[in-house]
Structure formats: structure tokens, C-alpha cells
Amino acid sequence: MANHAKGIQPDWLGKSLAGLLPGLALAFVCVGFYACYGPGSISSADKTQFNMWLVTPVWFCILSVVFLFQNSRQAWLVLTSISVLLYSCFIRYRDWE
């Protein structure tokens, strides 16, 4: 019986919150990179609406992947670290017009 299913893990709430809070920040910065460096630049008329709608699918992908982490502490650490790293790169290398 070593290969039986574990059932619901006790840290599902921590993982869910990690997907909601730093996961949303990560989705915003990913879409921000696409908005600034993707085709058409940030000034494209149709791209603004597309970027607004793109946040939700990216966020839901992050939210679904967060349950693959070993525990909630690891999920918080990884998502927060990646978010901080990407935001610092975005702010540092963005040429503000």
C-alpha cells in the first residue's frame, strides 16, 4: 500500500494563497513584459485591451501550477522570488518615455 493516493494535503490553503497573491503579481509582470517588449510596443491601440484580458489566463496557469510544489513555504518562496526578480528587471531596464 505504499503507492496509494495521499488525498487532500494539509497545506492547500497556503498554496492557494501563494497562487493568489504573489501569483497575481507574477502574472502582472509577465503581461507587462509582453506589453512593452512584444510586437507593436505599448502604444498599439488594440494591444491595451488584449493585455488586460491576458492577465487572467496567465494568472490561472500560475494558480494551477502552484499545487505542484512540495509545500506552501516553497510555493511562497519561489513565486515571491521570481516576482521580485522580474519586477526589478522590468523597472531597471524599462526605458520610460
Side-chain angles (χ1 to χ4, degrees), residues 24-57:
L24 180 61
L26 183 59
F28 280 142
V29 76
C30 288
V31 172
F33 271 111
Y34 174 74
C36 291
Y37 301 115
S41 184
I42 192 72
S43 60
S44 178
D46 297 334
K47 195 170 182 182
T48 306
Q49 186 73 22
F50 179 73
N51 291 333
M52 183 185 76
W53 288 103
L54 189 61
V55 172
T56 305

Side-chain angles (χ1 to χ4, degrees), residues 23-94:
L24 180 61
L26 183 59
F28 280 142
V29 76
C30 288
V31 172
F33 271 111
Y34 174 74
C36 291
Y37 301 115
S41 184
I42 192 72
S43 60
S44 178
D46 297 334
K47 195 170 182 182
T48 306
Q49 186 73 22
F50 179 73
N51 291 333
M52 183 185 76
W53 288 103
L54 189 61
V55 172
T56 305
V58 171
W59 185 27
F60 283 165
C61 288
I62 294 168
L63 188 58
S64 65
V65 170
V66 78
F67 294 103
L68 297 177
F69 287 105
Q70 296 272 329
N71 53 32
S72 60
R73 183 173 185 259
Q74 184 183 17
W76 274 92
L77 183 67
V78 168
L79 290 177
T80 304
S81 299
I82 292 173
S83 296
V84 168
L85 178 71
L86 288 179
Y87 270 107
S88 61
C89 289
F90 186 75
I91 291 171
R92 173 70 176 108
Y93 295 110
R94 172 73 178 118

